[in-house]
Amino acid sequence: MTYHGTYAYKTDIGRVRSHNEDQAMVVLNASGEVFLLVCDGMGGANKGDVASKLAIDSLSEAFRKKKRTPFAQFDKWWFTRACKDANSLIYNQAEKNPAEKGMGTTMVAALISGDRLMIANIGDSRAYLVGKDTIKQLSEDQTYVHFLVETGKITPEQALTHPERHVLMNALGIYPSVSLTLSVHPYKGESLLLCSDGLYNQVPEKDILALVSTDERADQKVTSLICVANQNGGSDNEGIAYWESIGHD
């Protein structure tokens, strides 16, 4: 089975930041697979924008060369290898260039291969599965505050305004090695939305669902999401990758 669809991806500087460190992309390969990717660079003056661009270029190129397989385990191996290669690329460049020392990036990616969906996550950028009237987060925020919620130290409500809510527990390119979270889900033609925290911190999930449930084109939906995030404060860059299935064969 191969799904066909429409897609769009876009980043925006927001209304506060001086430069854009987010990257987003949607790629299709010769095997009929779909790959969505969002990276949110970190490091500010330490070239977070360089880190996110290195990650996007490395991972999308690896996907273009990827062969389709019926086995989820092979795709897990491919994802792990591709992320390790991207991590090494960023880390080694930072080691050679003192101006880029400490740069890194979040990474969330989705691979649609037939009736299988695989999500890979490093950091706090998110992947959402969007149904007719539902939106479900498939990734898990790798942040200090999420850890506090999971261990019962604070409530989910307290997490929304916690002073350390932006502190990451994991990122791509910061250390010589990296760990990623991988999950596999059945895929039945739902829409997928990947985004950086610049979107979901400004736009509640119910509003995200409402905006992508319209009859607008995929690119119009993504533009609308960014406009609302900016209207609500635009306190960070926004990066979005969106996929909408229109059928399969």
Side-chain angles (χ1 to χ4, degrees):
M1 182 185 297
T2 298
Y3 277 92
H4 304 283
T6 61
Y7 62 87
Y9 55 92
K10 188 175 182 178
T11 68
D12 191 83
I13 196 170
R15 297 180 61 186
V16 175
R17 298 297 177 91
S18 60
H19 58 292
N20 191 352
E21 297 185 331
D22 283 11
Q23 293 278 345
M25 186 171 282
V26 180
V27 192
L28 282 64
N29 68 10
S31 300
E33 296 175 313
V34 183
F35 190 54
L36 292 83
L37 187 60
V38 168
C39 293
D40 180 358
M42 50 186 284
N46 291 332
K47 306 295 184 184
D49 53 342
V50 174
S52 60
K53 183 70 164 60
L54 286 169
I56 282 273
D57 289 349
S58 176
L59 290 161
S60 59
E61 183 60 27
F63 172 71
R64 289 186 180 97
K65 297 175 181 175
K66 180 184 177 297
K67 304 292 189 222
R68 189 162 173 173
T69 170
F71 304 110
Q73 195 58 42
F74 287 165
D75 281 344
K76 286 183 176 180
W77 177 87
W78 172 82
F79 245 137
T80 302
R81 181 73 267 159
C83 287
K84 286 183 175 179
D85 287 347
N87 187 81
S88 295
L89 189 68
I90 298 166
Y91 181 81
N92 290 339
Q93 178 156 323
E95 286 291 292
K96 293 172 188 171
N97 187 348
E100 296 171 346
K101 187 77 171 173
M103 70 177 178
T105 182
T106 70
M107 191 256 358
V108 63
L111 171 66
I112 302 171
S113 184
D115 57 2
R116 185 173 68 238
L117 169 65
M118 190 169 291
I119 303 293
N121 183 48
I122 300 169
D124 66 348
S125 293
R126 290 182 178 177
Y128 289 103
L129 188 72
V130 183
K132 188 168 182 261
D133 300 303
T134 60
I135 183 168
K136 180 183 180 183
Q137 183 180 340
L138 297 182
S139 56
E140 186 172 291
D141 297 347
Q142 296 173 349
T143 61
Y144 177 58
V145 164
H146 181 73
F147 168 76
L148 293 179
V149 172
E150 288 292 292
T151 53
K153 302 288 195 303
I154 63 173
T155 66
E157 291 71 31
Q158 290 172 321
L160 296 174
T161 55
H162 195 282
E164 295 183 298
R165 62 188 179 278
H166 300 300
V167 176
L168 295 177
M169 300 283 281
N170 194 15
L172 191 69
I174 297 291
Y175 302 109
S177 61
V178 69
S179 62
L180 65 153
T181 301
L182 278 168
S183 58
V184 184
H185 312 268
Y187 182 69
K188 300 174 183 175
E190 301 94 337
S191 296
L192 278 172
L193 176 75
L194 274 57
C195 65
S196 62
D197 61 345
L199 179 71
Y200 68 74
N201 281 335
Q202 299 288 347
V203 186
E205 287 182 7
K206 64 180 178 58
D207 293 344
I208 293 175
L209 176 60
L211 287 164
V212 299
S213 298
T214 67
D215 293 328
E216 291 185 317
R217 299 191 313 265
D219 62 315
Q220 293 173 319
K221 293 178 182 182
V222 169
T223 298
S224 296
L225 287 165
I226 287 174
C227 285
V228 172
N230 287 336
Q231 287 168 4
N232 291 351
S235 62
D236 200 352
N237 309 146
E238 301 107 10
I240 302 172
Y242 178 69
W243 162 266
E244 202 170 83
S245 174
I246 58 173
H248 61 78
D249 53 32

